[in-house]
Amino acid sequence: MTEPAPKSPAFKPLVFSGVQPTGNLHLGNYLGAITRFVALQDTHECIYCVVDLHAITVWQEPAELRKAIREVTAAFIACGIDPKKHIVFNQSQVSGHAELAWVFNCVARMGWLNRMTQFKEKAGKDRENVSVGLFTYPDLMAADILVYRATHVPVGEDQKQHVELARDIAQKFNNDFGASIRDGGFGDVYFPLPEPLIQGPATRVMSLRDGSKKMSKSDASDYSRINLTDDADAIAQKIRKAKTDPEPLPSEEKGLDPRPEADNLVGIFAALNNTTKAEVLREFGGSQFSTFKAALVDLAVAKLSPIAGEMKRLTQDPAHIDAILADGSDRARVLADATMRGVRDIVGFVQKK
Ligand code: TRP
């Protein structure tokens, strides 16, 4: 008689995502990622991580890094992430991330990492001189997700390839160690295959100076972006100076196609107002930009300046932020340690019982 096949564990839905503490968070991060994180809290258990280990794949001034870790944490909370119901922490305080990343360095193949487009872009012509960490960055990202056996990963389009690599790593680990996983009583598979939750193109926020470029923390001009720390005056000024064209707004979405700057501002209005571009154009079609921008200033200030105010309040009390990160790390560590005990057994390491 054949034994019934061991059951695979049913992985319970769990959301994981990370944000790098490198420089200013801006409207693009807010509409593209953070509002999504906030919304997922109602339907899922969520873990949101400030990925400081990823940050140091390129040089970070230590004092700046420390400040940025606290600032991203403050932004999460100011935007509405609840660190009591969910978990908010910084990656370096939970050693399981780095430990699992090492195991994954030994699972992932050179050829897989060589295909990562973000590495090619970031390394450019300087391939011989970038850190080894920048190359293995996707293995650490896979470890971030899988050390919690997370099932859903909200990310931008640019990170989709990395989440797919995490799936490939999970699958290869499950296959390579299949016998050991079953013998250890862990079921058929140890890791879930995480799914990317990709933000829609509607929330892709472009530079206020050039509608063909993404809004970016590294753009030389601060007028290209609205930072989450900008006060009402700065928000208003940047919107008033935003590039447009001489035509009034179209009444239909199709009319935005050849007009990237108009498209971007209408998209920002729609996203901030929780509505669609079509709806915005129903109201503003035929209006001059002066009228539309005045309405956009009011909306953006109403939505964003409370966030800036709250961030300012929070960052004035670093001890409070550090306490939130310590508490989140303690709770994350319990989960990560449980996964790592299994991993060590499965791989064949010897550990204290
Ligand atoms: N690489 C991601 C980015 O730059 C950040 C990140 C690190 C992340 N680890 C992650 C995102 C795990 C999702 C899941 O945007």
Side-chain angles (χ1 to χ4, degrees):
M1 241 179 62
T2 50
E3 295 274 313
K7 275 250 182 328
S8 301
F11 296 103
K12 76 170 188 232
L14 176 64
V15 166
F16 182 96
S17 196
V19 171
Q20 289 203 53
T22 48
N24 290 337
L25 287 177
H26 52 67
L27 185 63
N29 304 116
Y30 176 66
L31 294 176
I34 302 178
T35 52
R36 191 76 175 290
F37 296 178
V38 172
L40 282 163
Q41 295 183 112
D42 294 335
T43 50
H44 290 73
E45 275 184 46
C46 304
I47 303 180
Y48 295 126
C49 183
V50 184
V51 291
D52 45 13
L53 298 177
H54 277 106
I56 64 163
T57 56
V58 297
W59 171 252
Q60 304 296 330
E61 210 54 53
E64 291 296 313
L65 178 60
R66 203 158 15 243
K67 189 166 152 238
I69 293 167
R70 293 178 178 136
E71 204 161 279
V72 173
T73 310
F76 279 172
I77 292 161
C79 292
I81 290 171
D82 182 342
K84 291 212 171 73
K85 283 209 190 105
H86 301 273
I87 292 181
V88 172
F89 75 108
N90 58 314
Q91 193 184 22
S92 61
Q93 295 206 63
V94 179
S95 60
H97 292 250
E99 189 183 352
L100 187 57
W102 178 260
V103 176
F104 287 171
N105 281 341
C106 303
V107 172
R109 308 288 91 182
M110 287 295 287
W112 298 3
L113 291 180
N114 271 326
R115 282 194 285 278
M116 294 293 114
T117 54
Q118 182 173 291
F119 175 74
K120 289 187 221 176
E121 271 160 32
K122 283 197 182 171
K125 288 194 204 71
D126 205 21
R127 257 185 110 130
E128 291 297 302
N129 212 23
V130 294
S131 75
V132 176
L134 192 69
F135 185 67
T136 60
Y137 177 117
D139 292 345
L140 177 59
M141 182 161 157
D144 296 340
I145 300 164
L146 294 169
V147 84
Y148 303 103
R149 301 203 259 183
T151 54
H152 294 87
V153 186
V155 283
E157 184 66 39
D158 63 324
Q159 295 297 313
K160 189 171 171 218
Q161 193 185 31
H162 288 161
V163 180
E164 283 163 357
L165 185 89
R167 291 173 69 89
D168 291 342
I169 290 175
Q171 181 126 52
K172 185 163 162 54
F173 183 96
N174 288 338
N175 288 343
D176 287 356
F177 294 103
S180 181
I181 290 169
R182 283 185 291 275
D183 292 348
F186 295 105
D188 286 331
V189 295
Y190 193 66
F191 289 119
L193 307 188
E195 279 178 43
L197 301 173
I198 303 293
Q199 82 205 27
T203 46
R204 219 171 116 93
V205 179
M206 311 306 281
S207 158
L208 299 180
R209 310 257 76 197
D210 175 352
S212 67
K213 285 201 311 203
K214 252 177 79 170
M215 186 175 281
S216 159
K217 64 185 173 209
S218 47
D219 195 310
S221 166
D222 200 50
Y223 277 92
S224 70
R225 65 185 158 258
I226 295 174
N227 302 305
L228 283 186
T229 48
D230 284 346
D231 63 14
D233 281 349
I235 295 170
Q237 258 199 43
K238 287 174 178 182
I239 291 174
R240 284 193 207 105
K241 291 213 167 151
K243 187 175 168 198
T244 52
D245 57 47
E247 302 297 317
L249 284 169
S251 338
E252 309 256 309
E253 236 185 299
K254 252 190 21 225
L256 293 171
D257 282 351
R259 301 171 65 186
E261 284 81 17
D263 187 27
N264 188 36
L265 293 180
V266 170
I268 291 172
F269 193 107
L272 284 174
N273 213 24
N274 263 322
T275 171
T276 60
K277 289 195 237 179
E279 192 56 48
V280 176
L281 293 179
R282 247 193 296 283
E283 191 179 344
F284 290 97
S287 295
Q288 298 296 327
F289 272 106
S290 52
T291 311
F292 176 67
K293 278 184 168 182
L296 181 56
V297 165
D298 288 345
L299 173 64
V301 167
K303 290 271 169 161
L304 300 175
S305 69
I307 295 176
E310 184 63 5
M311 278 181 71
K312 193 164 170 194
R313 193 184 69 79
L314 287 163
T315 47
Q316 275 162 359
D317 188 358
H320 175 62
I321 294 193
D322 295 1
I324 290 170
L325 290 173
D327 172 65
S329 300
D330 287 346
R331 287 151 57 212
R333 198 177 299 111
V334 172
L335 304 172
D337 283 350
T339 304
M340 289 315 297
R341 290 199 67 80
V343 167
R344 291 186 208 105
D345 259 358
I346 288 165
V347 169
F349 297 154
V350 172
Q351 64 184 327
K352 191 171 157 196
K353 285 287 169 228

